[in-house]
C-alpha cells in the first residue's frame, strides 16, 4: 500500500558503530508486520482489504444524517459479513469458521477503520451471536446461528439497565414462568429496570438476548438469559415494536453515531419456555428448575464468564485504534518542521527530545500491549476450543481479559489525546480522524465493564490465586475470607511472590540487586515490577485483615482499601504486559527486527519504572542516583528509537485509504523554502512502504 508522508532518510552514519560500539538496527517493515500479524496474517489482510473498500464511510459519518448513517453502517456490516470475516468464531456447521482466535484478530484489525462498524459488528456477532452460542444449546444454535452469521437475523444484547450496569446480579427485569401456558412472561417492573444503552435496539434488531431474574412460584433463581422478539413485521412488511415492547432511542451521543443505541421496556411479553438459553440451567414444563451447577453463585459466574470474548475483543480493538493515532502523529512529526534549532534548516518535530518523549514511549507501550493482547487472545482460543479448558483456566482467563481490557482502553484514550496534541491545529480537523478516534473510543473504558470494576476482578484473583474457596465470593465476602488467613499465607498464595524470588536469584549484588544490576537487564526490569506487585498485594491484604480484625464491617473495609486493591491489580498487569513483551522477544530469531524490538522493550520497561519512581524511592528500592540514571537511559533510548519510528508505525499496516488526514500527511514539499540546494531536504510525498524500509 502506498504511503504519502515525507520520510527522513536514515544517514549512513547511523549504521556505523558509535564511540560506544552501538550500531543502529535496520529492521524490515514487512518482517516486523509479520511478527505483529502472527498466525492470523491472512485474516488481518482480509480485513484490511475490506477496510479499503468502504474507506469512504469515514467521510459519510460527517455528511449523512444520523438515521442514514446508521443504515449505511448496517449495509457495510452486512457486506463484510458476506466475506466471512465476521463469522470466524462460529461453528462451521452453521457457516462459521470454527476459529475463535481468528475472530479476535479480525475484530481487532477492524478498529483501523470506522468504529461504528466495529461496534455494530461486536453487538451483532460478538454479543448477540456469542450469547446464543455460549449460553444456548443445539436447539438455539439451529434456530439462530446461521441467520446471525449471514445477517438475516439481527439481534441485540440486553443486559445493562438504567439502575444496574456492573452489578449484573442485581438486575431487576423479570422473567416469570407461567405453568399454565408453558411460557415465560418478561416484565420491566419500574423505570430503573429498563434496558439501557443497548446497541442495535433503537433501529435494527428484531431479537434480543435479555438478561432477567428467573422467577418460578414466587422464588427467584437468579439472572438467566432469554431470547425475546423485540420487533415484528406489520401488514406492510415494516418492522414495528413487538406487542408489549416499548423502544426508545438513546439520542445523540459523544460518538459512535452509526450505532443505534436504545432503551427497552417489557410489559407482559410472553415467550416460549424454549427461549430460555439453557446451557447451564433449564425449566421443565411443570415448572421444575434444574441445573448441573448447584451453587447459585458459581452458576452465575460461570454464565457471565462464558461472555469473556467481548472484553478480549474490546481491549484489542482499543490498542489498534491507538496504532492509528500513532501512525498519524509519527508521520506528521517526520515531515513537519519548526525552528532552526541546530542549523539553518528548521528542525523536524520528531528530532526534538520532548516530542520523542511524548510519542516514543507510547509507541513502545503499544507494542508491549499488542504482544500481551496476543497472549490473552491465544488463551481465549485455547480455553474455548477445549485445548485448555478447566475451571481454573477459565477463571484465570477472566482475570487476564479484565486486566487487558482496562489497560488497552486506557492506553487508547491517553495515546489518542497525546497524538492529537502532537499534531497541533492540523490534528484538530475532522479529516485528521482524531475527532472520531477520541469520541468513538472514549466509551471503550466503560462498556464491557468499567475499568476500575474490572481491576477489582483482577485483584480478587491475586488475593485468592483463584482458589476454590473464593471463586463464588463477591468483594465483601472476599474481605472476610482474606481476613481469615494468616498474612504470610496470603502473600505466598500470590504468583508474584514466587516470580520475584525466582528472578532475584538471577541478579548480581544479593540484597543490593536493585542498585547493582544493569538498567537494561530484563531480569532487573522484571524484578522491579514483580517486587512492586508483591509489596502492594501484601499491603492490600494487610489492610483488609487489619480492618476486619478491628471490628469494621467488611463493606466499609473494602471501601477504605479499594484504592490499594486497584493499585495491586495495576501493578500486576504492568508486570504481565512486560513479561509478554520479553517472552515474545525470546521467541524471535536473532536479527535486525529482534534488536529493534529489544530497544522498544527496554524503553517500555524503563518508562514504566520511571513513571512510578516515587513509589520505588519511598520503598527503598531505588536511590536518587539510580532514578536519575533511569531518566537518562529513557532519553537515550528515545534517541535510538527515533530513526526507527517510521518503520515501527508502518509495520502496523494501517491501510493508507483509511488514514485520510491530508493536512497531516501532505501533499507538501518539506523544507523547500530553505533554498540550500540540498536535494535530501526536498522529499516529496508518495513513497511506498518498501522505499521507507530501504531508507531505514
Amino acid at each position: 500500500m502506498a504511503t504519502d508522508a515525507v520520510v527522513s532518510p536514515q544517514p549512513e552514519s547511523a549504521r556505523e558503530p558509535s564511540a560506544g560500539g552501538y550500531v543502529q538496527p535496520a529492521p524490515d517493515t514487512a518482517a516486523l508486520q509479520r511478527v505483529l500479524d502472527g498466525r492470523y496474517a491472512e485474516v488481518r489482510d482480509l480485513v484490511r482489504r475490506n477496510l479499503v473498500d468502504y474507506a469512504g464511510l469515514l467521510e459519510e459519518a460527517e455528511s449523512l444524517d444520523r438515521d442514514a448513517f446508521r443504515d449505511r453502517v448496517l449495509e457495510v456490516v452486512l457486506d463484510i459479513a458476506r466475506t466471512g470475516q465476521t463469522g470466524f468464531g462460529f461453528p462451521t456447521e452453521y457457516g462459521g469458521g470454527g476459529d475463535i482466535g481468528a475472530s479476535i484478530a479480525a475484530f481487532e484489525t477492524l478498529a483501523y477503520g470506522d468504529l461504528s462498524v466495529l461496534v455494530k459488528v461486536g453487538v451483532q456477532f460478538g454479543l448477540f451471536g456469542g450469547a446464543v452460542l455460549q449460553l444456548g444449546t443445539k436447539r438455539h444454535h439451529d434456530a439462530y446461528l446461521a441467520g446471525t452469521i449471514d445477517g438475516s437475523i439481527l439481534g441485540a444484547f440486553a443486559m445493562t439497565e438504567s439502575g444496574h450496569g456492573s452489578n449484573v446480579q442485581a438486575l431487576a427485569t423479570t422473567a416469570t414462568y407461567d405453568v399454565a401456558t408453558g411460557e415465560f412472561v418478561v416484565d420491566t417492573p419500574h423505570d430503573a429496570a429498563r434496558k439501557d444503552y443497548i446497541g442495535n435496539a433503537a433501529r435494527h434488531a428484531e431479537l434480543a438476548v435479555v438478561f432477567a431474574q428467573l422467577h418460578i412460584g414466587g422464588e427467584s433463581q437468579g439472572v438467566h438469559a432469554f431470547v425475546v422478539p423485540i420487533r415484528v413485521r406489520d401488514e406492510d412488511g415494516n418492522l414495528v415494536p413487538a406487542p408489549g415492547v416499548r423502544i426508545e432511542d438513546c439520542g445523540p451521543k459523544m460518538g459512535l453515531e452509526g450505532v443505534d443505541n436504545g432503551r427497552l421496556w417489557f410489559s407482559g411479553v410472553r415467550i416460549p419456555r424454549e427461549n430460555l438459553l439453557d446451557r447451564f440451567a433449564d425449566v421443565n414444563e411443570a415448572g421444575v428448575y434444574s441445573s448441573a451447577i448447584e451453587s447459585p453463585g458459581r452458576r452465575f459466574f460461570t454464565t457471565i464468564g462464558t461472555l469473556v470474548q467481548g472484553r478480549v475483543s474490546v481491549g484489542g480493538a482499543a490498542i489498534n485504534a491507538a496504532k492509528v493515532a500513532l501512525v498519524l502523529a509519527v508521520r506528521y512529526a517526520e515531515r513537519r518542521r519548526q525552528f532552526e534549532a541546530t542549523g539553518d534548516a528548521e528542525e523536524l518535530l520528531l528530532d526534538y527530545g520532548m516530542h520523542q518523549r511524548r510519542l516514543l514511549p507510547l509507541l513502545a507501550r503499544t507494542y508491549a500491549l499488542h504482544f500481551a493482547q496476543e497472549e490473552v487472545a491465544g488463551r481465549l482460543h485455547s480455553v474455548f476450543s477445549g485445548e485448555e479448558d478447566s475451571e481454573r483456566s477459565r477463571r484465570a482467563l477472566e482475570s487476564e481479559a479484565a486486566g487487558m481490557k482496562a489497560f488497552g482502553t486506557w492506553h487508547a484514550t491517553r495515546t489518542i489525546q497525546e497524538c492529537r496534541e502532537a499534531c497541533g491545529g492540523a490534528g484538530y480537523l475532522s479529516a485528521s480522524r482524531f475527532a472520531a478516534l477520541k469520541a468513538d473510543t472514549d466509551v471503550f473504558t466503560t462498556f464491557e465493564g468499567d475499568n476500575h470494576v474490572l481491576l477489582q476482578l483482577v485483584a480478587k484473583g491475586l488475593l485468592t490465586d483463584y482458589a476454590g474457596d473464593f471463586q463464588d465470593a463477591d468483594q465483601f465476602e472476599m474481605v472476610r475470607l482474606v481476613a481469615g488467613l494468616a498474612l504470610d499465607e496470603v502473600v505466598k498464595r500470590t504468583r508474584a511472590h514466587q516470580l520475584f524470588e525466582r528472578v532475584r536469584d538471577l541478579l548480581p549484588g544479593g540484597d543490593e540487586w536493585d542498585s547493582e544490576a544493569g538498567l537494561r537487564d530484563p531480569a532487573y526490569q522484571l524484578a522491579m515490577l514483580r517486587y512492586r506487585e508483591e509489596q502492594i498485594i501484601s499491603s492490600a491484604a494487610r489492610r483488609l485483615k487489619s480492618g476486619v480484625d478491628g471490628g469494621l464491617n467488611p463493606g466499609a473495609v473494602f471501601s477504605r482499601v479499594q484504592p490499594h486493591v486497584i493499585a495491586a491489580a495495576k501493578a500486576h498487569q504492568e508486570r504481565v504486559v512486560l513479561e509478554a513483551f520479553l517472552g515474545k522477544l525470546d521467541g524471535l530469531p536473532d536479527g535486525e527486527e529482534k534488536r529493534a524490538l529489544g530497544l522498544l522493550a527496554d524503553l517500555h520497561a524503563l518508562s514504566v519504572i520511571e513513571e512510578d519512581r516515587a513509589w520505588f524511592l519511598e520503598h527503598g528500592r531505588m536511590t536518587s542516583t539510580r532514578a536519575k540514571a533511569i531518566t537518562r537511559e529513557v532519553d537515550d533510548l528515545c534517541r535510538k528509537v527515533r530513526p526507527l519510528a517510521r518503520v515501527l508505525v508502518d509495520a502496523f499496516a494501517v491501510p493508507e485509504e483509511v488514514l485520510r488526514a491530508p493536512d497531516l500527511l501532505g501533499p507538501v514539499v518539506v523544507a523547500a523554502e530553505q533554498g540550500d540546494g540540498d536535494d535530501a531536504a526536498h522529499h516529496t510525498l508518495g513513497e511506498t512502504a518498501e522505499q521507507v524500509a530501504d531508507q531505514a
Side-chain angles (χ1 to χ4, degrees):
M1 297 173 186
T3 58
D4 290 336
V6 169
V7 180
S8 299
Q10 186 176 328
E12 288 298 319
S13 59
R15 292 291 299 149
E16 298 172 2
S18 65
Y22 172 75
V23 178
Q24 183 72 37
D28 175 68
T29 305
L32 280 175
Q33 182 185 334
R34 287 193 293 272
V35 173
L36 290 168
D37 283 356
R39 63 182 288 192
Y40 292 113
E42 291 184 6
V43 171
R44 296 182 190 275
D45 279 340
L46 168 64
V47 178
R48 290 184 179 109
R49 290 193 296 272
N50 288 337
L51 287 171
V52 171
D53 289 342
Y54 64 85
L57 191 65
L58 295 164
E59 295 182 14
E60 291 177 284
E62 298 164 4
S63 61
L64 296 176
D65 65 42
R66 189 171 68 192
D67 284 345
F69 182 53
R70 288 174 173 180
D71 290 344
R72 176 66 178 129
V73 166
L74 175 62
E75 182 182 315
V76 169
V77 168
L78 296 179
D79 282 347
I80 62 176
R82 285 188 276 273
T83 72
Q85 79 171 60
T86 56
F88 283 121
F90 291 98
T92 55
E93 57 264 39
Y94 298 104
D99 191 331
I100 291 175
S103 72
I104 299 296
F107 189 81
E108 292 171 350
T109 311
L110 197 58
Y112 284 165
D114 178 81
L115 294 175
S116 286
V117 170
L118 174 93
V119 173
K120 190 86 167 177
V121 165
V123 169
Q124 168 71 11
F125 304 99
L127 294 179
F128 173 74
V132 172
L133 175 63
Q134 298 298 339
L135 301 181
T137 50
K138 188 176 187 301
R139 67 186 180 203
H140 305 106
H141 300 168
D142 290 346
Y144 304 118
L145 286 188
T148 298
I149 293 168
D150 67 22
S152 59
I153 295 175
L154 297 178
F157 182 85
M159 177 183 282
T160 297
E161 296 176 357
S162 299
H164 290 95
S166 298
N167 188 5
V168 177
Q169 280 180 292
L171 295 178
T173 301
T174 60
T176 304
Y177 186 64
D178 183 345
V179 178
T181 64
E183 296 172 313
F184 288 102
V185 184
V186 183
D187 284 293
T188 302
H190 47 75
D191 259 3
R194 71 184 182 186
K195 296 299 181 181
D196 215 342
Y197 323 117
I198 309 303
N200 265 8
R203 190 168 179 85
H204 295 138
E206 299 174 51
L207 299 176
V209 171
V210 176
F211 289 79
Q213 301 286 348
L214 193 164
H215 288 180
I216 304 175
E219 181 181 352
S220 175
Q221 298 294 338
V223 173
H224 292 66
F226 304 82
V227 177
V228 181
I230 62 171
R231 283 187 176 86
V232 294
R233 299 279 177 182
D234 65 13
E235 295 177 354
D236 298 322
N238 299 314
L239 280 175
V240 296
V245 177
R246 179 155 67 97
I247 302 175
E248 183 179 282
D249 198 308
C250 285
K253 308 187 295 286
M254 285 178 62
L256 297 175
E257 289 291 7
V259 181
D260 52 319
N261 295 91
R263 302 183 177 110
L264 300 172
W265 290 260
F266 304 97
S267 178
V269 177
R270 290 182 170 270
I271 57 173
R273 179 177 60 88
E274 292 78 12
N275 283 29
L276 167 66
L277 296 178
D278 59 351
R279 178 180 175 185
F280 300 114
D282 200 4
V283 176
N284 69 15
E285 290 184 26
V288 177
Y289 179 86
S290 61
S291 174
I293 305 174
E294 186 173 344
S295 163
R298 184 173 300 179
R299 189 186 312 131
F300 170 78
F301 286 116
T302 300
T303 298
I304 298 301
T306 60
L307 306 175
V308 70
Q309 182 174 340
R311 287 176 183 164
V312 177
S313 299
V314 170
I319 294 165
N320 273 18
K323 291 175 187 176
V324 175
L326 283 164
V327 171
L328 295 169
V330 167
R331 286 176 54 172
Y332 182 67
E334 287 223 326
R335 62 176 287 272
R336 179 78 158 120
R337 295 177 180 269
Q338 288 289 289
F339 305 109
E340 297 87 351
T342 58
D344 293 335
E346 289 189 306
E347 204 79 9
L348 288 169
L349 292 184
L350 202 53
D351 288 336
Y352 285 103
M354 190 63 231
H355 215 77
Q356 294 171 14
R357 271 285 194 156
R358 295 172 70 182
L359 296 181
L360 300 185
L362 291 176
L363 178 59
R365 187 171 182 82
T366 301
Y367 268 79
L369 289 169
H370 174 97
F371 295 129
Q373 168 71 10
E374 185 177 70
E375 286 199 354
V376 174
R379 173 71 68 90
L380 175 78
H381 180 82
S382 296
V383 168
F384 280 81
S385 65
E387 297 172 9
E388 183 193 352
D389 192 5
S390 66
E391 190 163 345
R392 182 182 177 86
S393 64
R394 282 181 176 261
R395 293 302 171 98
L397 171 63
E398 291 169 30
S399 178
E400 293 168 9
M404 273 307 301
K405 188 270 179 181
F407 267 43
T409 56
W410 273 330
H411 175 69
T413 298
R414 174 187 175 189
T415 300
I416 291 166
Q417 178 62 30
E418 191 64 59
C419 288
R420 206 296 300 159
E421 293 181 27
C423 292
Y428 194 65
L429 301 176
S430 293
S432 297
R433 288 208 60 188
F434 285 114
L437 284 170
K438 280 168 59 69
D440 291 347
T441 61
D442 196 74
V443 73
F444 285 20
T445 60
T446 47
F447 72 22
E448 283 298 322
D450 173 272
N451 284 352
H452 288 96
V453 175
L454 292 181
L455 288 181
Q456 288 179 187
L457 175 63
V458 175
K460 175 185 168 184
L462 295 176
L463 290 165
T464 64
D465 193 31
Y466 316 110
D469 293 343
F470 298 87
Q471 57 194 5
D472 301 328
D474 62 17
Q475 60 265 35
F476 307 127
E477 182 64 17
M478 180 192 74
V479 172
R480 287 189 285 267
L481 293 169
V482 169
L485 297 172
L487 185 60
D488 286 348
E489 184 180 350
V490 174
V491 174
K492 288 177 181 177
R493 279 175 179 265
T494 69
R495 188 166 182 263
H497 174 76
Q498 303 159 18
L499 293 172
F500 172 65
E501 292 296 321
R502 191 183 310 155
V503 76
R504 187 173 63 176
D505 293 340
L506 301 176
L507 293 167
D511 290 339
E512 303 300 319
W513 60 268
D514 51 345
S515 58
E516 295 296 323
L519 296 180
R520 293 181 60 184
D521 183 343
Y524 163 75
Q525 297 162 1
L526 278 175
M528 291 291 276
L529 297 194
R530 288 171 176 172
Y531 174 83
R532 180 180 64 172
E533 179 184 357
E534 179 186 342
Q535 291 302 305
I536 298 177
I537 292 172
S538 301
S539 174
R542 187 179 301 112
R543 291 167 189 268
L544 291 171
K545 279 185 64 65
S546 175
V548 174
D549 292 346
L552 292 175
N553 177 277
V557 173
F558 181 79
S559 181
R560 288 186 179 189
V561 182
Q562 193 175 28
H564 299 275
V565 169
I566 298 298
K570 288 181 177 178
H572 165 78
Q573 194 61 33
E574 287 287 11
R575 186 261 297 172
V576 167
V577 170
L578 179 59
E579 283 186 340
F581 201 164
L582 295 176
K584 187 69 176 184
L585 272 178
D586 285 345
L588 293 178
D590 291 338
E592 298 298 305
E593 290 72 42
K594 185 171 184 175
R595 291 182 59 228
L597 292 177
L599 290 176
L600 279 187
D602 286 332
L603 177 56
H604 169 68
L606 293 179
S607 295
V608 169
I609 294 170
E610 181 193 37
E611 194 170 69
D612 207 15
R613 59 188 179 275
W615 186 94
F616 290 107
L617 285 163
E618 288 174 357
H619 291 77
R621 288 272 67 120
M622 185 185 292
T623 64
S624 59
T625 300
R626 189 77 161 178
K628 293 174 183 176
I630 288 174
T631 295
R632 288 193 298 271
E633 192 69 31
V634 171
D635 288 338
D636 183 61
L637 285 165
C638 283
R639 288 189 289 270
K640 287 182 168 71
V641 170
R642 185 265 175 266
L644 310 175
R646 177 62 191 268
V647 175
L648 291 168
V649 297
D650 280 352
F652 296 149
V654 180
E656 196 70 22
E657 292 82 352
V658 302
L659 288 175
R660 299 181 71 195
D663 287 279
L664 295 181
L665 306 181
V668 297
V669 177
V670 175
E673 69 277 13
Q674 304 301 329
D676 56 8
D678 181 4
D679 288 339
H682 296 261
H683 302 287
T684 56
L685 304 183
E687 295 171 274
T688 66
E690 290 75 16
Q691 290 170 323
V692 174
D694 291 341
Q695 290 177 349

